[in-house]
């Protein structure tokens, strides 16, 4: 795995971890001071996945990134509707979704990390 690709996945995993934490911790004042933590992390996950797709040479993981990008967008749109006080149904379990995706990429990046030069 190229260093730039490893870096991209590291950023993606970090965003998934942050999203997972925000969704699991009801004490986080995510929607104060015009902050929308969940929406922000979903947007970043969507962007990193989209940006990483053309860098990825492994077709299996390219498809996973495409699916992640699409799902992040769907959840973000539901989150935005919720922030507008619209009644919404989230398309995925919002607490399990980031955890499951994080686990998809962690082993891949760990076992395919660039070697020290």
């Amino acid at each position: 795995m190229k260093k730039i690709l490893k870096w991209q996945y590291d950023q993606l995993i970090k965003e998934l971890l942050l999203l997972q934490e925000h969704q699991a911790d009801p004490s986080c004042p995510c929607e104060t001071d015009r902050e929308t933590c969940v929406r922000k992390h979903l947007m970043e996950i969507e962007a990193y996945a989209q940006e990483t797709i053309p860098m990825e040479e492994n077709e299996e993981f390219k498809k996973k990134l495409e699916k992640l990008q699409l799902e992040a967008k769907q959840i973000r749109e539901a989150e935005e509707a919720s922030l507008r006080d619209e009644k919404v149904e989230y398309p995925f379990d919002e607490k399990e979704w980031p955890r499951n995706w994080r686990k998809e990429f962690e082993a891949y990046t760990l076992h395919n990390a660039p070697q020290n030069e």
Side-chain angles (χ1 to χ4, degrees), residues 46 69-79 90-92:
E46 182 183 347
Q69 185 264 323
L70 177 64
E71 289 180 5
K73 182 179 180 180
Q74 291 171 333
I75 298 170
R76 177 179 56 79
E77 288 172 346
E79 178 69 13
Y90 284 86
F92 306 97

Side-chain angles (χ1 to χ4, degrees), residues 44-83:
E44 291 187 46
I45 291 164
E46 182 183 347
Y48 275 116
Q50 190 173 31
E51 183 178 57
T52 307
I53 292 167
M55 297 178 196
E56 180 58 77
E57 295 175 358
N58 180 313
E59 285 300 317
E60 177 187 357
F61 278 85
K62 190 176 277 206
K63 286 183 182 1
K64 287 181 183 198
L65 288 164
E66 290 168 350
K67 185 175 181 190
L68 173 64
Q69 185 264 323
L70 177 64
E71 289 180 5
K73 182 179 180 180
Q74 291 171 333
I75 298 170
R76 177 179 56 79
E77 288 172 346
E79 178 69 13
E80 289 170 353
S82 175
L83 290 167

Side-chain angles (χ1 to χ4, degrees), residues 85-111:
D85 294 325
E86 297 173 18
K87 185 176 178 184
V88 296
E89 261 187 59
Y90 284 86
F92 306 97
D93 180 328
E94 65 265 19
K95 291 186 177 144
E96 287 298 314
W97 183 85
R99 180 179 180 272
N100 292 340
W101 275 113
R102 176 182 52 79
K103 291 172 88 174
E104 283 284 331
F105 296 121
E106 280 179 333
Y108 176 61
T109 58
L110 179 64
H111 296 293

